[in-house]
Amino acid sequence: MLRPLAAALLLSCAALSAANAQTIYPIDRADILVGAKFDFKVEFDGLVDRAAFAVTVSGEDAAKLFGKAPEFVAREDNKDQSALLLRDVALSKPGRYEVSVSDGKTSKKLAWNVFATGPRQAKNVILFIGDGMSGAHRVAARLLSKGMTEGKAHGKLAMDSMPRMALVSTAGSDSIITDSANSASAYATGHKAATNAMGVYADRTADPLDDPRVETISSLAQRRLGLGIGIVTNTEIEDATPAAMVAHTRRRAEYDSIVAQMFDAKPDVILGGGSANFLPKGAPGSKRKDETDFLAKFRDAGYTLASNGTELRSLGPDTKKLLGLFHLSNMDGALDRKFLKAGSVGRYPDQPDLTEQVKTALDVLSKNPNGFFLMVESGMIDKYTHLLDMERAVYETIMLDNSVKLARDWAAARGDDTLILVLADHTHPVSLIGTIDDDMTTTPNVPLRERVRVYEKAGFPNYPAADAQGYPPRVDVSRRLAMFSASMPDHYETYRPKLDGPNEPTSPGQQPGTFTANEKYKNVPGAVLRLGNLSALINASVHSGEDVILTATGPGSERVQGQLENTEVFRVMVEALGLGHGEQN
Ligand SMILES: [Zn+2]
């Protein structure tokens, strides 16, 4: 028995050393939909003689299998490194594909799983993403919008009362912690990606736009089935989550290129903030680095434009292509828009609610007889949680739930032909630990931390009854939810909702690139300085790596159960749409 074991060890050592020799994209164990396009790339560590290397896929020469000759890059990025690139290829038969690459001295092997789907089950798919939505956000949204007595809530959230549920793991190809780019990309493409990357495998070259691409569900749905495509958010439309539905870049900050890619992709409905990168350089508020006027380009391409809630509500009945941009940057959250009139609401008094955006998107997209794919993001849950502004984050969760309810009612009225998924892209390390007992009228002579009530002393919060949309009209009540993040920069904890605008926990520190506690809150009665547990280079709370909750209803939702990789969410959607059924070319 000794000999075979030694031989096996030797083999695995050889495989290990060879593993450093080449990098292959798509990566090992990638799940690839039949017929979906991708770029195949091999990066060799050093210079390779073109005549010496061999690339086979399941024993067949790659060029022959894919039907085109690879591009050989003798010196990539002007360094002593060669590469091989085959763009826009696809595999039309399901099965396991062994990829083998040799440069004559070292070799590497990996395998892909190419999968087909069953026949189409759903006419439409709606993917709701609560950016950064964690367990505490959901529970707090339920408490505030439904109320609770004696431990029992007076109702369920629309997203909680769905028949299917799963845990979704969110790690990226480079890290256990994901950002919104690679997490949204996993849903949109079925491939794991690296932090900051969407629609690509981040390669070693400096160019953030040349990385090997994988096809998005938007492209597949348009190309194969003629579906309408909708992208709805309340953040900048170029931000990671909405952008990942159509764009390909390893650097999510490439806003100008993302706008251009969005124009090329031509989604039927685009609604959100972020008009700054649509305006030509020099126009007031523009952040573009060139003179292209993308509002004019979209208009010339047949899009109806809307810039505020009134315009969104008064669209003509024959609107088929819609671009609504309601803010130069991120839109304001529900707490500011509806109640506090803080943030930038003074400058943008007529921003639509996410529910209005969703309703309009459904109106426009449902005119497509082939069906549609719609992504809706409540994106400010994440932004506010980064800022340790828990009240605002919870109101954004309620807004997401209102949008889910609207879509569910819409789908039910049509006889449930629509797969609806609700999930987050990643979590925040935020927890509900009790209540804060403080009437905010007196100056406390002890730090407010002594008024954080836990266990039986926490009792129940006393927010006023929610309005028809599920929002309590006030958050500055005398028994408030105590929600804290386990990750934090140095900041002043005031234990109070910020009524004058979103929290700003940090300000620039003395050393360039560092951050320090924002002195603005130093003299708030009862405030305490909290020393952070993050590097001084980080100005806000960060994401965490727990699984997110996915709930689902409608045709194709049966696959939502147990624990899924985030890439499997793509598979749930393409199975529902039958995007890999029958002959695929
Ligand atoms: Zn975030």
Side-chain angles (χ1 to χ4, degrees):
M1 291 305 290
L2 207 65
R3 280 185 144 197
L5 187 66
L9 269 174
L10 205 68
L11 255 178
S12 69
C13 286
L16 207 66
S17 67
N20 299 322
Q22 293 101 13
T23 305
I24 302 172
Y25 301 115
I27 57 179
D28 192 26
R29 298 186 295 146
D31 295 306
I32 302 173
L33 176 68
V34 289
K37 292 178 184 169
F38 61 91
D39 295 344
F40 173 49
K41 185 179 185 194
V42 180
E43 295 180 339
F44 298 96
D45 249 10
L47 291 175
V48 174
D49 179 3
R50 177 158 204 165
F53 68 76
V55 180
T56 61
V57 179
S58 288
E60 205 173 337
D61 180 63
K64 199 165 158 237
L65 178 79
F66 290 123
K68 57 169 99 168
E71 176 194 347
F72 178 68
V73 186
R75 278 178 56 82
E76 192 175 48
D77 260 15
N78 268 324
K79 293 180 183 153
D80 284 347
Q81 53 189 23
S82 303
L84 191 84
L85 194 57
L86 257 165
R87 292 213 186 262
D88 253 355
V89 297
L91 292 163
S92 57
K93 287 193 188 69
R96 180 184 153 89
Y97 286 74
E98 284 205 359
V99 184
S100 169
V101 175
S102 164
D103 60 9
K105 297 184 205 99
T106 59
S107 65
K108 182 171 181 177
K109 274 192 173 62
L110 54 73
W112 301 328
N113 169 41
V114 176
F115 67 95
T117 69
R120 186 169 174 182
Q121 297 165 270
K123 175 152 190 181
N124 315 303
V125 170
I126 308 178
L127 176 67
F128 282 99
I129 300 179
D131 200 307
M133 180 169 65
S134 311
H137 294 120
R138 294 175 92 112
V139 173
R142 197 185 304 142
L143 279 168
L144 265 63
S145 63
K146 308 297 176 190
M148 173 181 280
T149 47
E150 294 171 305
K152 199 180 272 186
H154 290 282
K156 290 185 191 296
L157 296 175
M159 64 175 138
D160 282 347
S161 51
M162 295 169 88
R164 303 286 171 173
M165 182 179 270
L167 292 175
V168 176
S169 306
T170 62
S173 62
D174 61 340
S175 169
I176 53 171
I177 305 298
T178 177
D179 84 312
S180 292
N182 58 339
S183 59
S185 183
Y187 300 154
T189 70
H191 291 261
K192 293 274 184 183
T195 314
N196 294 323
M198 58 179 83
V200 296
Y201 283 104
D203 70 7
R204 66 187 173 189
T205 67
D207 185 346
L209 297 167
D210 74 345
D211 302 70
R213 295 183 169 198
V214 286
E215 191 169 13
T216 63
I217 187 170
S218 306
S219 167
L220 285 158
Q222 265 178 331
R223 186 164 71 77
R224 291 236 178 110
L225 301 173
L227 294 197
I229 304 298
I231 303 173
V232 173
T233 183
N234 59 340
T235 66
E236 296 169 311
I237 197 78
E238 307 88 341
D239 202 0
T241 308
M245 298 303 121
V246 291
H248 305 269
T249 173
R250 66 160 302 166
R251 228 169 69 90
R252 57 183 278 179
E254 295 290 327
Y255 272 21
D256 282 0
S257 168
I258 285 169
V259 171
Q261 292 187 50
M262 207 168 271
F263 181 73
D264 291 342
K266 300 279 188 310
D268 303 84
V269 174
I270 306 168
L271 298 175
S275 59
N277 291 79
F278 285 69
L279 301 171
K281 184 181 172 185
S286 170
K287 285 188 186 163
R288 279 201 79 78
K289 292 179 197 72
D290 61 35
E291 302 294 341
T292 314
D293 181 347
F294 270 94
L295 290 184
K297 280 177 75 98
F298 273 98
R299 191 187 296 111
D300 292 348
Y303 280 74
T304 300
L305 303 193
S307 64
N308 56 46
T310 305
E311 288 175 9
L312 187 72
R313 286 184 291 271
S314 47
L315 294 173
D318 50 353
T319 303
K320 288 212 173 75
K321 296 251 178 194
L322 173 62
L323 172 65
L325 297 174
F326 310 107
H327 203 293
L328 279 168
S329 176
N330 294 318
M331 293 166 68
D332 286 288
L335 184 60
D336 289 315
R337 275 188 295 105
K338 292 174 187 290
F339 302 101
L340 299 175
K341 306 298 174 193
S344 60
V345 172
R347 283 184 288 133
Y348 298 89
D350 188 13
Q351 301 169 64
D353 191 73
L354 191 66
T355 52
E356 296 177 287
Q357 295 171 252
V358 171
K359 182 185 178 305
T360 308
L362 294 174
D363 286 347
V364 174
L365 291 169
S366 57
K367 288 174 194 153
N368 187 325
N370 300 324
F372 63 81
F373 167 72
L374 168 64
M375 191 289 298
V376 178
E377 183 200 26
S378 181
M380 299 300 289
I381 300 171
D382 172 74
K383 312 269 184 215
Y384 292 138
T385 309
H386 277 297
L387 296 175
L388 305 170
D389 194 322
M390 302 308 174
E391 285 82 4
R392 282 180 173 79
V394 172
Y395 274 54
E396 298 307 279
T397 310
I398 295 171
M399 184 173 72
L400 171 69
D401 197 59
N402 290 337
S403 307
V404 171
K405 179 171 189 320
L406 187 149
R408 290 188 64 184
D409 290 347
W410 175 90
R414 299 165 49 89
D416 282 321
D417 59 355
T418 301
L419 171 65
I420 300 176
L421 305 171
V422 187
L423 79 176
D425 51 350
H426 56 77
T427 52
H428 275 270
V430 57
S431 281
L432 175 62
I433 65 158
T435 60
I436 298 165
D437 193 356
D438 151 50
D439 68 8
M440 290 183 67
T441 59
T442 55
T443 303
N445 51 14
V446 290
L448 275 176
R449 64 189 288 178
E450 301 306 326
R451 298 199 183 178
V452 175
R453 310 294 191 210
V454 299
Y455 297 111
E456 76 280 9
K457 292 194 179 69
F460 301 96
N462 61 354
Y463 297 94
D467 65 14
Q469 278 97 47
Y471 302 107
R474 282 178 56 203
V475 289
D476 52 336
V477 296
S478 61
R479 209 172 318 120
R480 307 181 286 278
L481 291 185
M483 270 173 77
F484 297 107
S485 177
S487 77
M488 58 191 137
D490 287 2
H491 69 288
Y492 287 96
E493 175 56 72
T494 70
Y495 299 92
R496 290 179 169 182
K498 308 299 184 291
L499 303 179
D500 59 346
N503 191 26
E504 301 169 280
T506 56
S507 50
Q510 289 196 325
Q511 300 295 320
T514 67
F515 295 90
T516 184
N518 190 345
E519 297 285 306
K520 172 182 170 180
Y521 302 105
K522 188 177 180 178
N523 297 319
V524 173
V528 291
L529 176 64
R530 271 216 180 146
L531 292 179
N533 54 11
L534 298 172
S535 157
L537 301 171
I538 298 174
N539 66 345
S541 177
V542 297
H543 300 173
S544 55
E546 292 88 24
D547 291 354
V548 300
I549 297 168
L550 163 60
T551 51
T553 187
S557 63
E558 309 77 31
R559 296 181 74 94
V560 172
Q561 55 172 306
Q563 177 263 346
L564 305 173
E565 287 290 344
N566 54 2
T567 49
E568 291 177 279
V569 175
F570 171 82
R571 186 147 182 183
V572 169
M573 297 191 290
V574 298
E575 286 279 0
L577 290 171
L579 277 167
H581 183 61
E583 207 49 37
Q584 298 299 338
N585 293 302

